[in-house]
Amino acid sequence: MALQVAGGAGCCGCLSLLGPHRRAAAFLPPRAVASDGAAVEDGNKTVLGGSGVAVTKLGIGAWSWGDTTYWNDFQWDDRKLKAAKGAFDASIDSGITFFDTAEVYGAGVSGAINSESLLGRFIKERQQKEEVEVAIATKFAALPWRFGRGSVLSALKSSLSRLGVSSVESYQLHWPGIWGNEGYLDGLADAYEQGLVKSVGVSNYSEKRLRDAFKLLKKRGVPLASNQVNYSLIYRNPEENGVKAACDELGITLIAYSPIAQGALTGKYTPANPPSGPRGRIYTSDFLSKLQPLINKIKEIGGSYDKTPTQVVLNWLICQGNVVPIPGAKNAEQASEFAGALGWSLTEQEVEELRSLAREVKPVMGFPVEKL
């Protein structure tokens, strides 16, 4: 959901040097849409802010699809491609129809294996078998050499081409720019007015930036639908820095990336078995040792509902209200498990009990631009 930086807490996406944009296709098939006819019950849908765009209360993050810089042990092959396709199909089968991607996910826009391209391919292949209704969210990379509202429209059209759709349900600024943010926001409004996007959002925005963006877009008559930030049981910075409260006040949906702390909250990893790759430098054996009392409580609570730790921590986020978690799914098993976080609810006592235990765990460092 954001660029990954050394020591970061799992911001979704790694910075790639972007090559020239692919020329937009002359013809694009109809956009993928979300509707009340989706497989999930209406009770498992929510609306993004004041946009009127309905999505499932839990989405799927596609950061890892095609990625070779942070995930997948730095390599992508046919086996991982099939697993990602399985994750997509299992999500649809389970009623999860909201997918979040970005132009810098995977090999980046200059690479052949791009997360957007893969998502577009999976949708097309599924549509050849049956009609599917999918809500797509993607993001604009606020790179220093991109200037003005035109850069947003240009990047969006390239994203639409890779996705193979004529519009998306949500287009977000991936992180605040070093400069030119007003121009980027105007670009979002232009895209909205031109019907290229059904809603607009931001990501990694502080409370001040969020309020400023809300006001600027409001002047254009465009609702700011979402702010996508790092949020999990063990990374509750949005509760502490005013972002969650501002989202609730302004009617902006908080989309939570890294909601299972890149796997640290699933119970899969232990002090003797930490994650491999860059995650191992974040979720160290020492950190996992201090995390164990919380993991044990999560398992205990999950046992009373016949739910896994993953499903418990995702449900914990949903219980906060106005939050849509988007865990990353690399295979069908993970996607199917995520769906089990819907359709039930922790008690208020359990929610607070988990928060209390989580306070004893020192949080890892988040994405630096959250403090801009």
Side-chain angles (χ1 to χ4, degrees), residues 1-313:
M1 223 267 52
L3 297 179
Q4 175 62 35
V5 293
C11 305
C12 304
C14 298
L15 177 60
S16 302
L17 294 179
L18 308 184
H21 289 303
R22 290 170 50 184
R23 187 177 299 276
F27 171 78
L28 294 174
R31 67 183 180 89
V33 300
S35 78
D36 291 340
V40 294
E41 298 177 0
D42 289 350
N44 279 334
K45 281 196 170 184
T46 189
V47 174
L48 293 178
S51 69
V53 174
V55 300
T56 44
K57 289 183 177 179
L58 184 145
I60 297 296
W63 172 22
S64 69
W65 295 0
D67 180 73
T68 57
T69 58
Y70 190 80
W71 300 100
N72 304 308
D73 298 320
F74 307 110
Q75 56 185 328
W76 186 255
D77 53 31
D78 287 342
R79 180 179 60 84
K80 291 170 183 174
L81 172 62
K82 291 177 181 177
K85 176 62 163 58
F88 173 82
D89 285 331
S91 298
I92 298 295
D93 292 341
S94 299
I96 298 176
T97 57
F98 180 38
F99 294 85
D100 179 85
T101 183
E103 62 176 335
V104 295
Y105 289 174
V109 298
S110 60
I113 306 299
N114 172 278
S115 176
E116 290 179 325
S117 299
L118 289 173
L119 177 57
R121 171 180 169 180
F122 297 161
I123 293 171
K124 181 179 180 180
E125 290 175 352
R126 183 74 179 227
Q127 285 176 333
Q128 290 173 349
K129 299 178 182 178
E130 61 178 327
E131 182 178 354
V132 294
E133 298 173 334
V134 176
I136 301 172
T138 192
K139 307 181 203 70
F140 167 83
L143 298 167
W145 53 87
R146 284 179 160 173
F147 298 96
R149 63 211 302 170
S151 64
V152 176
L153 289 171
S154 176
L156 171 59
K157 290 174 182 177
S158 293
S159 287
L160 294 176
S161 178
R162 286 186 292 272
L163 287 161
V165 296
S166 58
S167 70
V168 291
E169 278 60 48
S170 174
Y171 196 49
Q172 308 150 90
L173 301 183
H174 206 153
W175 59 86
I178 298 174
W179 49 67
N181 287 289
E182 288 193 9
Y184 295 153
L185 290 165
D186 275 326
L188 287 185
D190 292 343
Y192 181 84
E193 291 172 351
Q194 293 178 27
L196 298 175
V197 302
K198 295 302 174 184
S199 71
V200 300
V202 293
S203 179
N204 295 300
Y205 266 47
S206 66
E207 178 189 0
K208 182 181 184 306
R209 285 190 179 276
L210 185 66
R211 291 185 182 278
D212 290 345
F214 178 86
K215 291 177 183 177
L216 191 151
L217 289 169
K218 187 177 181 180
K219 291 180 181 178
R220 294 281 303 269
V222 178
L224 178 56
S226 62
N227 185 19
Q228 186 174 146
V229 295
N230 188 355
Y231 187 25
S232 71
L233 179 57
I234 59 171
Y235 190 82
R236 300 178 311 286
N237 201 41
E239 297 177 355
E240 299 158 0
N241 63 11
V243 165
K244 176 65 166 65
C247 284
D248 293 346
E249 174 194 337
L250 300 174
I252 299 169
T253 299
L254 190 155
I255 299 176
Y257 70 77
S258 292
I260 55 177
Q262 298 188 9
L265 287 171
T266 66
K268 174 182 178 180
Y269 301 111
T270 66
N273 178 40
S276 60
R279 288 182 297 161
R281 297 196 297 269
I282 302 169
Y283 303 104
T284 62
S285 294
D286 181 61
F287 179 87
L288 292 171
S289 293
K290 296 173 182 176
L291 190 63
Q292 286 311 296
L294 176 60
I295 295 295
N296 291 338
K297 176 54 69 173
I298 292 169
K299 290 179 178 179
E300 177 186 325
I301 291 175
S304 65
Y305 292 95
D306 195 24
K307 296 294 182 179
T308 68
T310 297
Q311 293 163 343
V312 170
V313 296

